[in-house]
Amino acid sequence: MELIRSCAVVSVALLCSGAWFFDAQAAGVRLGTVVPGTMVTKNVESIRERRFANLIEQQTDFSCAAASLATILRYAYQHDEITEASVLEGMLEVADPELVRVQGFSLLDIKNYVEGLGFRGRGYEVAEDTLESVSIPVIVLLDLDGYKHFVVMKRASGDRVYVGDPALGNRVMRRDEFLEAWNGVIFAVVGEGFDRDTVLLSPRQPLTAHRMQDVFAPLTNQNLLDFGFRHADLL
């Protein structure tokens, strides 16, 4: 597998301190005059919460690979105990520290880490015109104005690609924009315990009637076998 590295050069200072973001969360709103004598409580979701729903946000400028992988392990394999920090620590144990310090993490580092957890890592080259055939959430590497950045690709449909970006949140990219930034390689985590109903395969639609036409079909056994799953994984 081609060694692909991303994010940023990891310095000792970043490893020790990190660059942490503030996490603003919304609370419930109490409405006391809607019906006389009653109190109605409505949970309100902030824009930030919506943006990072079902997505692990990267907390440092070099941890996009760890956050993307943690998102798949938590939301596609139901490992609720998984955090960006735990994945980052584990990847540092199996990676070459000097290469990481200079070049960042690679898909090989991700592969070595997930195989240490009992999963299998599969890298595939995918033709642009078959992007919609990718029916499971995968990790992809994007080149954003010279910045190598790992994200989760959830689904592709028509002229858009649904992406879980650990830095920017959930977003919908134009297909041509995605293809221009993408290197043509996907990385799939496969193994027992995959949740066919994972929220990663049902991304929220943009709030326009035109965009509500995407209806994603359920996964079949053949879909999963095509990406390296075994029959034993599907029992």
Side-chain angles (χ1 to χ4, degrees):
M1 178 182 296
E2 178 185 1
L3 192 64
I4 303 174
R5 299 191 171 272
S6 74
C7 291
V9 174
V10 182
S11 68
V12 174
L14 285 174
L15 286 172
C16 293
S17 61
W20 303 98
F21 299 103
F22 292 104
D23 184 17
Q25 296 189 1
V29 175
R30 303 182 69 189
L31 307 174
T33 59
V34 177
V35 179
T38 65
M39 182 67 70
V40 177
T41 301
K42 173 66 175 177
N43 289 326
V44 178
E45 184 180 46
S46 70
I47 294 176
R48 183 178 184 81
E49 285 175 319
R50 181 181 178 89
R51 183 183 305 152
F52 285 95
N54 306 314
L55 174 65
I56 294 180
E57 181 180 2
Q58 69 182 81
Q59 299 298 316
T60 74
D61 63 356
F62 62 86
S63 57
C64 57
S68 295
L69 179 56
T71 293
I72 288 180
L73 293 176
R74 179 181 293 185
Y75 295 108
Y77 283 95
Q78 306 175 73
H79 282 271
D80 295 337
E81 78 284 1
I82 290 290
T83 65
E84 179 202 55
S86 66
V87 173
L88 187 58
E89 181 180 357
M91 287 176 61
L92 286 170
E93 290 178 356
V94 299
D96 183 325
E98 285 303 310
L99 284 177
V100 171
R101 183 180 63 82
V102 175
Q103 301 177 11
F105 288 108
S106 72
L107 286 180
L108 181 58
D109 298 328
I110 299 176
K111 175 182 173 66
N112 289 337
Y113 173 70
V114 299
E115 292 186 347
L117 297 179
F119 295 100
R120 300 184 300 283
R122 296 287 185 267
Y124 301 93
E125 290 187 3
V126 178
E128 294 181 358
D129 59 352
T130 62
L131 190 61
E132 290 186 358
S133 67
V134 181
S135 54
I136 63 173
V138 294
I139 295 174
V140 298
L141 183 66
L142 301 182
D143 186 335
L144 305 176
D145 296 325
Y147 179 72
K148 307 295 186 182
H149 186 51
F150 282 119
V151 302
V152 176
M153 190 189 85
K154 302 176 181 180
R155 289 277 191 160
S157 179
D159 64 348
R160 51 199 174 273
V161 179
Y162 295 86
V163 169
D165 186 324
L168 300 177
N170 294 300
R171 59 194 183 107
V172 183
M173 299 181 68
R174 296 193 320 271
R175 189 186 186 97
D176 60 343
E177 175 191 9
F178 178 87
L179 293 177
E180 183 178 355
W182 178 46
N183 66 354
V185 175
I186 64 171
F187 182 85
V189 179
V190 300
E192 295 182 7
F194 179 78
D195 180 7
R196 295 177 190 240
D197 297 319
T198 170
V199 293
L200 299 180
L201 293 180
S202 300
R204 283 180 168 176
Q205 300 292 322
L207 299 177
T208 63
H210 173 68
R211 296 304 194 187
M212 296 300 288
Q213 62 186 344
D214 286 347
V215 177
F216 300 122
L219 283 174
T220 65
N221 282 355
Q222 189 58 53
N223 290 144
L224 297 179
L225 292 173
D226 288 343
F227 283 93
F229 286 83
R230 301 167 180 163
H231 286 286
D233 298 328
L234 309 181
L235 298 179

